[in-house]
Amino acid sequence: MSNNKKSMLAIGLMSGTSLDGIDGAIVEIKPDFSCNFIEGHSINYSAQMQAKIKKLFSYRISPKFLCEMNFLIGEYFAKCAMELINKTKLNPDLIGSHGITLYHNPLNKNFENFSLKSTLQIGEGAVIAERTGITTICDFRVQDIAAGGEGAPLVPFADKILFGNSSINRAILNLGGIANVTVLSTNCDIFAFDTGPANMLIDGAMRKLFNKNFDKNGKIAKLGKINNNLLQKLMQNKYLYISPPKSTGREIFGEKYLEKILSTTNDTPENIIATLTMFTAKSIKQAFTDFIYPKSTIKEIILGGGGAYNKTLKENLSKEFEPETKIKTHEDYGISNKYKEAIAFALLAYCTFHNIPNNIKTATGAVKEVILGKIIRKV
Amino acid sequence: MSNNKKSMLAIGLMSGTSLDGIDGAIVEIKPDFSCNFIEGHSINYSAQMQAKIKKLFSYRISPKFLCEMNFLIGEYFAKCAMELINKTKLNPDLIGSHGITLYHNPLNKNFENFSLKSTLQIGEGAVIAERTGITTICDFRVQDIAAGGEGAPLVPFADKILFGNSSINRAILNLGGIANVTVLSTNCDIFAFDTGPANMLIDGAMRKLFNKNFDKNGKIAKLGKINNNLLQKLMQNKYLYISPPKSTGREIFGEKYLEKILSTTNDTPENIIATLTMFTAKSIKQAFTDFIYPKSTIKEIILGGGGAYNKTLKENLSKEFEPETKIKTHEDYGISNKYKEAIAFALLAYCTFHNIPNNIKTATGAVKEVILGKIIRKV
């Protein structure tokens, strides 16, 4: 560990699996890691850009298109950072950018003597560094994969910093496209994994059935009734029963899976949304029952991410978990739900900048601690 | 500039447009940039790997395949570095890796308010850093593109360090897949550009017509006669007449172009190789006539790269240029022809590590000097 750390203003940039836009957070981080969230800012991709991004996730793409999109997405990330800088009139020292995950393939297969585990984030960091004039750290996942890990989840490192100084056994549950849980317990090492979908299926179905990007406050889900037959089928998804460490994304819970779901039911749109929302809650509960409670009781679950604003999802979780385990949100602790992941990448960047290893082996399964990310220097 | 530079052992890794394998060079670099080439090492891709790499340059590829290949190519680069380390029993401080260029698109087009100029190198640096335990710098081209440049050529920075301390007006001509020239003259700023093909067409035709990877020592070309009709057609290639700064690759001089050439002639295989070899020499001469001699006389051209070993190509160049301009090779100055580009990336990495901007604006056309590359730290 470096002993000459200094306080820094850092921006974290995140674009999650929902692919609607970019979240940026500016944070003051002190050498003791105490961290003050100053401001958040989000931009949406234009319709034309969103169409281009969607094309990236096609079965096959041209190298030229990929090459261009890496730079274009970098421009959008830079735009988010610049708007945040202009909004706050601050001069940040550092940017940590997650990029967009184009593909995540943590399964162990071999070619010749080499492993085929891999992950790929795009959104060129050099563009962000050049447009902002700020040292930028990007590509946080690859180093952990190279060290034998899953390259995910990375947010537990931030969870530990933000919520680890407590005698209460906690689980931090981020509800982005995918649901990620971090277990901070006095009974066991930190561990973390993706439980399955959070908003990905709900958002996808909202787009198809209601032409809306998401179910605001969970209102549509509230109107519908649970289709128990469909829910039962969903709960058979094999991913749910794989032991951690594990991570997932649209490879398993993306459009194809959603299309398959929608093709098997004639139920009303509201009932489908209600059922998908319940599936998110039940799949999370399943993960606790199978993989978390056997290791530790959990006093409270702290929700974050956009899904923390979905009241129906939150109610479903309360019904599943309370009173044994209390459901809270980041905002109960003064941290933005929406910008939690962006904040996490600001914290990760701060550590990388100071040569502090920042993967959590027990979360990613890596064989050693590594300094995540690639540094693009601006003097 | 950093004032606390130290001597370092650095490895440079290069895989050029010929895509046959990876060259590694280990170099001692002193704070005054004087540079001592210690050892070189090359590995070839296995046949299976080469087939995979070829597939990368298909019209369309899957994101999954690209994601895997970035890591697999990284493993090959790491292997080259490790074999070089084991061979020399040295402990290098730093690695600079160019990677493989998947696509290079320096043309200025716009989307929304953003430029579509872009470049993409793959061969995951994090894998190299992890396998070797050595701080690794990769992705040298993107930063220059972000700063408005062509992202190429980058080797002129090394040419300046290696050959710039002279009162003789020189041109450094690297004969890889593509021919790159750097002009070091007392009459003008350093400038550099890609003149067109060096070995790319010759190697491609050798594979198709002789089932060999290249024309060793130019023996086949020596046996053939020039097909003047074909040569004249080749010399009509529009790229040759574009004003610098300019850079190119297999997008213009790749397999498609070669197929087109081969389909228009019934000449003997030897004559075709002879003609392609002469085309390389004549296209270089054209570049000097149109873009270099108008700015400066050139006393000597120093050849490097694999093409410097092609005796017929060297003879052709001597006939075109001598006696006004002498043809020499790097080896006349104690520097390996073969490992020149690898050495260049060791030098670039040394500068990046020490916060020294290392693009040459007059070569790439960038609007400002930037620190190239992304740093992956191993403590």
Side-chain angles (χ1 to χ4, degrees):
Chain A
M1 284 220 188
S2 162
N3 288 314
N4 42 16
K5 294 199 299 290
K6 54 171 187 164
S7 285
M8 278 183 138
L9 285 178
I11 287 179
L13 298 171
M14 181 70 204
S15 183
T17 34
S18 60
L19 296 177
D20 42 2
I22 300 162
D23 293 329
I26 186 162
V27 183
E28 188 188 13
I29 305 166
K30 297 206 176 118
D32 67 354
F33 296 114
S34 67
C35 150
N36 174 26
F37 169 70
I38 297 171
E39 182 70 272
H41 182 69
S42 299
I43 64 168
N44 289 319
Y45 299 117
S46 69
Q48 219 188 334
M49 183 68 178
Q50 204 157 19
K52 269 182 181 280
I53 292 173
K54 228 173 171 179
K55 231 176 98 183
L56 267 181
F57 292 90
S58 309
Y59 179 54
R60 284 176 194 280
I61 54 179
S62 74
K64 181 186 181 199
F65 178 62
L66 175 79
C67 179
E68 277 178 12
M69 286 304 289
N70 180 41
F71 272 69
L72 269 185
I73 293 168
E75 296 281 4
Y76 262 87
F77 274 79
K79 185 174 178 244
C80 181
M82 281 311 299
E83 288 183 9
L84 181 55
I85 290 167
N86 291 333
K87 192 168 161 181
T88 56
K89 310 221 186 302
L90 292 171
N91 292 311
D93 306 289
L94 193 63
I95 295 176
S97 175
H98 175 267
I100 289 179
T101 294
L102 181 63
Y103 205 85
H104 185 68
N105 189 22
L107 290 176
N108 241 330
K109 273 192 244 172
N110 288 315
F111 171 79
E112 295 177 351
N113 291 319
F114 308 121
S115 159
L116 289 183
K117 279 173 74 160
S118 57
T119 190
L120 183 62
Q121 282 70 44
I122 62 172
E124 185 49 57
V127 172
I128 304 170
E130 190 53 35
R131 300 290 168 265
T132 60
I134 298 169
T135 293
T136 298
I137 304 178
C138 62
D139 267 8
F140 285 90
R141 299 196 186 275
V142 288
Q143 190 88 357
D144 184 79
I145 295 239
E150 295 255 326
L154 301 184
V155 173
F157 184 82
D159 290 332
K160 182 184 150 195
I161 288 174
L162 296 170
F163 297 108
N165 296 324
S166 165
S167 59
I168 301 172
N169 293 347
R170 287 165 164 167
I172 318 301
L173 184 63
N174 191 70
L175 301 168
I178 294 294
N180 335 100
V181 66
T182 303
V183 179
L184 300 171
S185 160
T186 50
N187 304 119
C188 57
D189 283 335
I190 295 176
F191 70 107
F193 59 95
D194 293 348
T195 62
N199 310 318
M200 188 175 275
L201 295 172
I202 304 169
D203 291 355
M206 283 299 296
R207 273 190 281 268
K208 284 210 190 290
L209 304 174
F210 294 90
N211 200 26
K212 289 188 175 167
N213 283 328
F214 66 108
D215 181 14
K216 198 172 178 185
N217 295 324
K219 275 190 183 163
I220 304 284
K222 187 83 182 168
L223 298 173
K225 279 187 186 163
I226 307 302
N227 176 330
N228 281 312
N229 194 14
L230 175 60
L231 181 60
Q232 213 180 336
K233 266 189 232 158
L234 290 168
M235 285 300 293
Q236 285 165 16
N237 190 299
K238 284 179 188 164
Y239 177 81
L240 310 186
Y241 306 96
I242 300 170
S243 294
K246 61 178 175 177
S247 53
T248 187
R250 64 182 59 247
E251 296 76 18
I252 298 180
F253 295 104
E255 296 236 334
K256 270 187 204 163
Y257 183 61
L258 179 64
E259 270 166 33
K260 205 179 132 195
I261 294 168
L262 296 179
S263 72
T264 61
T265 177
N266 293 318
D267 210 338
T268 68
E270 287 79 4
N271 290 357
I272 291 171
I273 299 296
T275 305
L276 291 173
T277 304
M278 185 57 87
F279 174 47
T280 293
K282 289 266 185 200
S283 62
I284 290 166
K285 180 63 187 293
Q286 188 72 45
F288 274 74
T289 304
D290 293 349
F291 308 121
I292 298 176
Y293 288 145
K295 292 193 180 178
S296 172
T297 56
I298 298 294
K299 186 92 177 175
E300 58 185 34
I301 295 174
I302 302 172
L303 308 182
Y309 300 108
N310 182 325
K311 285 181 188 165
T312 308
L313 176 56
K314 201 178 161 213
E315 276 171 30
N316 289 346
L317 287 167
S318 293
K319 275 181 218 153
E320 294 290 329
F321 283 100
E322 289 182 340
E324 292 77 9
T325 304
K326 271 199 127 182
I327 298 293
K328 297 200 166 183
T329 76
H330 278 65
E331 286 171 8
D332 295 324
Y333 292 93
I335 298 163
S336 163
N337 288 333
K338 181 172 167 62
Y339 293 107
K340 162 64 189 303
E341 281 199 291
I343 292 166
F345 282 89
L347 275 164
L348 286 164
Y350 178 83
C351 291
T352 298
F353 187 85
H354 288 101
N355 275 336
I356 301 167
N358 46 3
N359 62 333
I360 291 192
K361 291 192 295 173
T362 48
T364 66
V367 297
K368 59 175 158 171
E369 289 188 340
V370 290
I371 301 165
L372 301 169
K374 295 177 185 159
I375 306 166
I376 300 145
R377 289 233 197 93
K378 298 306 283 186
V379 215
Chain B
M1 283 219 189
S2 163
N3 287 316
N4 42 16
K5 294 197 300 290
K6 52 171 188 165
S7 284
M8 278 183 140
L9 286 176
I11 287 180
L13 298 171
M14 181 69 202
S15 184
T17 34
S18 60
L19 296 178
D20 42 3
I22 300 163
D23 293 329
I26 186 161
V27 183
E28 189 188 11
I29 306 167
K30 299 208 174 113
D32 67 355
F33 296 116
S34 66
C35 152
N36 174 27
F37 169 69
I38 297 171
E39 183 69 274
H41 182 69
S42 299
I43 64 169
N44 289 319
Y45 299 117
S46 68
Q48 219 188 336
M49 183 67 178
Q50 205 158 17
K52 270 183 182 280
I53 292 173
K54 227 171 168 183
K55 230 176 100 185
L56 267 181
F57 292 91
S58 310
Y59 179 56
R60 286 177 192 281
I61 53 179
S62 73
K64 180 183 181 201
F65 178 62
L66 174 81
C67 180
E68 277 178 12
M69 285 304 289
N70 180 41
F71 272 69
L72 269 184
I73 293 167
E75 296 282 4
Y76 262 87
F77 273 79
K79 185 174 178 242
C80 181
M82 282 311 298
E83 288 182 10
L84 180 56
I85 291 166
N86 292 333
K87 192 168 161 181
T88 56
K89 312 227 185 297
L90 292 170
N91 292 312
D93 307 289
L94 193 61
I95 295 176
S97 175
H98 174 269
I100 288 180
T101 294
L102 182 64
Y103 206 84
H104 185 67
N105 189 24
L107 290 176
N108 240 332
K109 275 194 246 169
N110 288 314
F111 170 80
E112 295 176 352
N113 292 319
F114 308 121
S115 160
L116 289 183
K117 279 172 76 161
S118 57
T119 190
L120 183 62
Q121 283 69 43
I122 62 172
E124 184 50 56
V127 172
I128 304 170
E130 190 54 34
R131 299 292 168 263
T132 60
I134 298 169
T135 293
T136 298
I137 304 179
C138 62
D139 267 7
F140 286 89
R141 299 196 186 275
V142 288
Q143 191 89 359
D144 184 78
I145 295 241
E150 293 254 326
L154 302 184
V155 173
F157 184 80
D159 290 331
K160 181 184 154 197
I161 287 174
L162 296 170
F163 296 108
N165 296 324
S166 167
S167 58
I168 301 172
N169 292 346
R170 286 165 164 166
I172 317 302
L173 184 63
N174 191 70
L175 301 167
I178 293 295
N180 335 100
V181 66
T182 303
V183 179
L184 301 171
S185 161
T186 51
N187 303 120
C188 56
D189 283 337
I190 296 176
F191 71 107
F193 59 95
D194 293 349
T195 62
N199 310 317
M200 189 177 274
L201 294 172
I202 304 169
D203 291 354
M206 283 300 297
R207 273 189 280 266
K208 284 211 191 291
L209 304 175
F210 293 90
N211 201 26
K212 288 188 174 164
N213 283 328
F214 66 109
D215 180 12
K216 198 172 177 186
N217 294 325
K219 276 190 182 162
I220 305 284
K222 187 81 182 168
L223 298 173
K225 281 186 188 163
I226 307 302
N227 176 330
N228 280 311
N229 193 15
L230 175 58
L231 182 59
Q232 214 180 334
K233 265 190 234 158
L234 291 168
M235 285 300 293
Q236 285 165 14
N237 189 300
K238 285 180 187 162
Y239 177 81
L240 310 186
Y241 306 96
I242 300 169
S243 294
K246 62 178 176 177
S247 54
T248 186
R250 63 181 59 248
E251 296 76 18
I252 298 181
F253 296 104
E255 297 236 332
K256 270 187 203 162
Y257 183 61
L258 179 65
E259 271 166 33
K260 206 178 130 194
I261 294 168
L262 296 179
S263 72
T264 62
T265 177
N266 293 317
D267 210 338
T268 68
E270 288 80 4
N271 290 356
I272 291 171
I273 299 297
T275 306
L276 291 173
T277 304
M278 185 57 88
F279 174 47
T280 292
K282 289 268 185 199
S283 62
I284 289 165
K285 181 64 187 294
Q286 189 72 46
F288 274 73
T289 304
D290 293 348
F291 308 122
I292 299 176
Y293 288 145
K295 292 194 179 175
S296 173
T297 56
I298 298 293
K299 184 90 177 173
E300 57 184 36
I301 295 175
I302 303 171
L303 308 182
Y309 300 109
N310 182 325
K311 285 181 187 163
T312 308
L313 176 56
K314 204 180 157 208
E315 276 170 30
N316 290 347
L317 287 167
S318 293
K319 274 181 221 154
E320 294 290 330
F321 284 100
E322 289 184 341
E324 293 77 10
T325 303
K326 271 200 123 180
I327 299 293
K328 297 199 165 182
T329 74
H330 278 65
E331 287 171 8
D332 295 323
Y333 292 94
I335 298 163
S336 162
N337 288 334
K338 182 172 166 63
Y339 293 107
K340 162 64 190 301
E341 282 199 289
I343 293 167
F345 282 90
L347 275 165
L348 286 165
Y350 178 84
C351 292
T352 299
F353 187 85
H354 288 102
N355 275 337
I356 301 168
N358 46 3
N359 62 332
I360 293 193
K361 290 192 296 174
T362 49
T364 65
V367 296
K368 60 174 155 172
E369 290 190 336
V370 292
I371 301 165
L372 301 170
K374 295 176 185 160
I375 305 165
I376 300 144
R377 288 234 196 92
K378 298 306 286 185
V379 216

